[in-house]
Amino acid sequence: MQPATAAVAALIAGITPYDELEQRHAAKVSAWLDSTDDIFRRTKPATPSPHLVSYVVLTDPDAQAIYLGRHRKAGLHLPMGGHVDPGEHPSTTAHREAVEELALTPTFDVVGPHSVFLTWTTTVGLTAGHIDVSLWYVIRGDHTRTYPLDPTEFDGGQWWPLTPSGLPPTDPHLPRFIGKLNTLLAQTRAPQ
């Protein structure tokens, strides 16, 4: 196993699954990482499939809100994020994507600097049909601000309540992510 693949495998091993589906995704991703070092997208839109993606979820924990952008290619309201470049650590991707797509220097202090969620998803929209292995990171935002999303990627964005129901068309795993994030936020607020 190449060092970059081993780093991703260690990252996956450090994520505590939220539910049975995330546990199955973790097992599938671990088996995939054991079988190949070809884990980074080399050719747009989908080679190889699967490949790594980092989501960076802008969250205002005090207002209990998340910021989603209307993604042009997927046709969904999504967190910001992008493909992990060859050899790049997924946390570096999350930082880079926050700078590129949100025009901000991210603060990973909401629930920590590590990825908190893992998904194995078949894509939809203009680039439908390949597998994204997504690592979800959480960064701090301010619900009183509007963020200038990259217009080549997004057609605007807005804040949504941090509840798993009432969401616009989105990533099929976002409601579960919100459930996990709410659990993590409750743990960080609990007296020690």
Side-chain angles (χ1 to χ4, degrees):
M1 186 177 283
Q2 295 292 322
T5 306
V8 173
L11 184 62
I12 301 307
I15 298 173
T16 302
Y18 174 64
D19 56 15
E20 185 180 320
L21 182 55
E22 189 175 13
Q23 191 169 12
R24 287 196 314 265
H25 285 188
K28 189 180 282 191
V29 171
S30 293
W32 170 61
L33 294 172
D34 285 342
S35 72
T36 186
D37 284 311
D38 196 12
I39 62 174
F40 304 103
R41 185 178 76 172
R42 290 179 279 107
T43 308
K44 293 181 180 183
T47 303
S49 179
H51 55 251
L52 292 173
V53 169
S54 288
Y55 270 141
V56 55
V57 185
L58 188 63
T59 304
D60 185 331
D62 299 324
Q64 292 288 291
I66 60 169
Y67 195 73
L68 301 176
R70 289 182 301 280
H71 195 273
R72 291 180 182 274
K73 289 182 181 175
L76 300 172
H77 295 253
L78 298 174
M80 285 69 260
H83 295 91
V84 180
D85 287 340
E88 186 176 49
H89 192 279
S91 64
T92 303
T93 306
H95 186 277
R96 175 176 51 78
E97 291 293 336
V99 171
E100 290 175 2
E101 294 183 352
L102 290 161
L104 63 82
T105 301
T107 305
F108 293 86
D109 68 343
V110 177
V111 291
H114 51 279
S115 174
V116 298
F117 196 59
L118 171 69
T119 57
W120 176 283
T121 309
T122 302
T123 60
V124 298
L126 297 177
T127 60
H130 68 274
I131 304 291
D132 280 349
V133 174
S134 302
L135 293 148
W136 300 54
Y137 292 84
V138 180
I139 62 171
R140 183 174 298 278
D142 177 353
H143 80 285
T144 64
R145 280 191 60 194
T146 300
Y147 293 85
L149 298 179
D150 177 353
T152 63
E153 297 269 340
F154 293 95
D155 185 23
Q158 73 180 70
W159 287 97
W160 294 87
L162 197 55
T163 58
S165 60
L167 293 169
T170 189
D171 184 293
H173 303 292
L174 185 65
R176 293 176 38 255
F177 168 80
I178 289 173
K180 186 173 189 179
L181 180 57
N182 282 325
T183 299
L184 294 170
L185 289 171
Q187 291 169 357
T188 62
R189 289 189 206 110
Q192 301 296 324

